[in-house]
Amino acid sequence: MRLSVIGCGYLGAVHAAAMASIGHDVVGIDVDESKIASLSRGEAPFFEPGLPELLTEGIASGRLRFTTDMAEAQGAKVHFIGVGTPQQKDGSAADLTYVNAAVDALIPYLSEGDVVAGKSTVPVGTAATLAERVAPTGATLVWNPEFLREGFAVKDTIDPDRMVVGVREDGERVADILREVYHPSVAKGTPFIVTDYATAELVKVAANAFLATKISFINAMAEIAEVTGADVTTLADAIGHDARIGRRFLGAGIGFGGGCLPKDIRAFAARAEELGRGESIAFLREVDAINMRRRDRAVDLVVSALGGSVFKKNVTVLGAAFKPHSDDIRDSPALDVAVRLHGLGAWVTITDPEAIENARERHPQLNYVADRDEALRGADAVIVVTEWDEYRRQMSPEHAASLVSGRVIVDGRNCLDAAAWRAAGWEYYGMGRP
Ligand code: NAD
């Protein structure tokens, strides 16, 4: 099937390449010329495992191309909208400027029978408004939210846990077109849920709200553990054995970040207020507040471990990306902790396997070192803020001890073996752990 994908960022570039890999003829469209130039050369403009291979294969097969020219969307049967929906600069609601601009730019190229499939995360009610704009062209709008996880985006796009398609009352025909698009998953029996617009939009934000709540729940337990001497990791293991609770997403630490969870829960709360139901999800404000407090806690641990001040102390920060397997630094708790320590007068050195370039662009005032051992050299304290395997599994406490000036380690992700680090002579501080 001929498809267009509008917006070629973390979501769209992967979507375009993945759709070409399952046999479709895809054009990816973005307003960012340098991104399109890089994608057209078969180079991923960001780190995402498996994407470079898909791009190379897709381009070589002739089924995948990228352009800045919206006219090239003409002739595609399904047009996916995957542009950004960031937090508004002066509020917590979602900024729909890019979605509206993308749809408006697409409208002149739509034909009778085309399907416009929204994938961006939007406030409930958006699809109904956009459907009115698209209707005069004879095209139909559906909402098909995306659940991919950065770092696993290729797998999640080609083989998702479930697919959700929000349609108008008469939407079975369009739902069938989407079934055809996602034919390998449909054939495999992956749940394919056809529903109304509002439910489809809400499924996405509800899923993110739940995940954020789960993380903040365990971080709230970490706060209580900190004043009682309990160990939140053991607590999480113990409650996680209950299948109704589950252990995943119960990792206490410096909390969540990235381009989705923080802005999505804020936008959801803002939208609920507009709908007169602010109180229904007022708890999301608390979820957000707990999450932000963990960053303070991590900074406080470094400060107190260094005797009450980090001024002119060498602090090595291991990690900049908001999570491992990604170079995404949007609202990264890791980078936030680094910036705060720098603000307190520490000499901060940061390393990360993939995110240094992005981090340097955002915070050029910090010192970046590509090599982990080089970054550790001379440190008075070390803090792990992104749980890359390079720090979690591949860093020996004995070797690290030979490089630093002070054996102080703060485990902002509770991802290290505390006993092993202590045995190697380190003062070890976890989050919510004695
Ligand atoms: P991103 O910033 O990486 O990409 C957005 C892209 O849209 C950019 O390349 C930008 O240049 C392009 N764009 C903006 N206006 C445009 C226009 N008028 N026409 C064409 N292109 C335009 O963002 P992202 O992370 O890919 O997120 C996109 C959407 O997907 C958001 O709504 C996000 O919440 C949602 N989402 C993201 C993820 C994720 O893990 N990144 C997962 C699920 C859902």
Side-chain angles (χ1 to χ4, degrees):
M1 197 185 290
R2 282 183 67 184
L3 309 176
S4 79
V5 178
I6 296 143
C8 294
Y10 286 91
L11 185 161
V14 175
H15 196 71
M19 292 301 107
S21 81
I22 59 170
H24 299 297
D25 183 357
V26 187
V27 59
I29 304 173
D30 201 291
V31 290
D32 183 332
E33 284 178 12
S34 72
K35 209 172 256 184
I36 289 301
S38 144
L39 287 165
S40 300
R41 289 193 301 272
E43 291 165 18
F46 48 85
F47 175 76
E48 183 59 50
L51 179 59
E53 293 80 354
L54 280 197
L55 288 172
T56 313
E57 280 167 31
I59 291 168
S61 72
R63 286 197 306 272
L64 178 63
R65 64 205 163 80
F66 293 93
T67 177
T68 53
D69 183 4
M70 189 64 91
E72 300 211 21
Q74 194 151 26
K77 175 86 182 154
V78 180
H79 308 268
F80 290 99
I81 307 289
V83 301
T85 49
Q87 186 175 338
Q88 282 177 3
K89 291 198 172 51
D90 55 354
S92 55
D95 180 353
L96 291 178
T97 312
Y98 307 101
V99 169
N100 290 330
V103 170
D104 286 345
L106 175 64
I107 281 174
Y109 305 106
L110 291 175
S111 308
E112 180 84 32
D114 283 7
V115 176
V116 178
K119 293 201 78 65
S120 302
T121 304
V122 292
V124 56
T126 306
T129 310
L130 292 176
E132 300 307 323
R133 301 234 297 255
V134 165
T137 66
T140 309
L141 183 115
V142 301
W143 214 262
N144 173 217
E146 179 57 58
F147 303 96
L148 70 84
R149 298 159 299 165
E150 285 176 25
F152 305 92
V154 169
K155 188 252 155 213
D156 288 350
T157 304
I158 297 177
D159 183 20
D161 296 336
R162 76 299 209 186
M163 290 156 286
V164 175
V165 183
V167 297
R168 280 257 156 100
E169 305 75 42
D170 53 349
E172 262 313 312
R173 181 193 66 86
V174 262
D176 279 344
I177 295 174
L178 268 278
R179 281 192 182 93
E180 205 178 321
V181 170
Y182 297 124
H183 60 98
S185 303
V186 171
K188 210 182 130 188
T190 305
F192 189 95
I193 297 155
V194 180
T195 182
D196 53 83
Y197 287 159
T199 307
E201 292 165 319
L202 278 173
V203 165
K204 173 63 193 174
V205 286
N208 276 359
F210 190 86
L211 294 172
T213 303
K214 204 168 174 192
I215 298 171
S216 278
F217 172 82
I218 200 66
N219 277 329
M221 297 307 107
E223 292 187 335
I224 304 300
E226 275 150 17
V227 293
T228 53
D231 186 334
V232 75
T233 304
T234 309
L235 181 151
D237 290 343
I239 63 171
H241 286 301
D242 184 332
R244 294 168 304 174
I245 296 174
R247 181 65 175 82
R248 296 185 71 192
F249 264 59
L250 280 187
I254 59 170
F256 58 81
C260 293
L261 251 51
K263 61 113 176 148
D264 288 349
I265 61 167
R266 290 169 197 156
F268 191 14
R271 183 70 184 124
E273 269 159 34
E274 282 170 14
L275 294 166
R277 282 286 179 276
E279 72 275 18
S280 302
I281 50 171
F283 68 91
L284 288 180
R285 305 265 186 222
E286 210 50 57
V287 164
D288 200 0
I290 293 166
N291 190 54
M292 298 309 285
R293 283 204 298 271
R294 299 317 285 162
R295 304 177 185 191
D296 302 338
R297 169 69 184 170
V299 170
D300 290 349
L301 278 175
V302 178
V303 171
S304 69
L306 288 177
S309 169
V310 292
F311 189 66
K312 292 191 177 172
K313 295 280 176 61
N314 288 305
V315 179
T316 295
V317 177
L318 298 178
F322 85 99
K323 67 170 187 176
H325 316 293
S326 177
D327 66 351
D328 196 346
I329 52 137
R330 288 178 289 183
D331 203 347
S332 167
L335 208 44
D336 194 16
V337 165
V339 168
R340 291 183 197 204
L341 288 165
H342 174 81
L344 294 172
W347 288 316
V348 173
T349 298
I350 308 185
T351 186
D352 187 286
E354 295 295 337
I356 287 182
E357 258 176 66
N358 285 343
R360 184 184 283 124
E361 204 174 301
R362 182 80 52 86
H363 295 291
Q365 76 278 24
L366 303 173
N367 180 34
Y368 297 93
V369 172
D371 181 70
R372 185 197 67 202
D373 285 0
E374 199 50 46
L376 288 171
R377 213 174 291 283
D380 296 307
V382 179
I383 177 164
V384 180
V385 281
T386 313
E387 65 276 38
W388 286 98
D389 276 349
E390 280 81 347
Y391 316 135
R392 202 160 63 104
R393 296 187 196 280
Q394 296 156 17
M395 183 169 67
S396 105
E398 292 78 17
H399 177 63
S402 72
L403 300 169
V404 297
S405 297
R407 294 182 191 184
V408 170
I409 185 134
V410 175
D411 184 1
R413 294 292 183 180
N414 287 348
C415 63
L416 303 177
D417 178 348
W421 283 79
R422 288 192 174 118
W426 288 80
E427 251 177 68
Y428 169 95
Y429 301 92
M431 305 284 293
R433 310 183 74 183

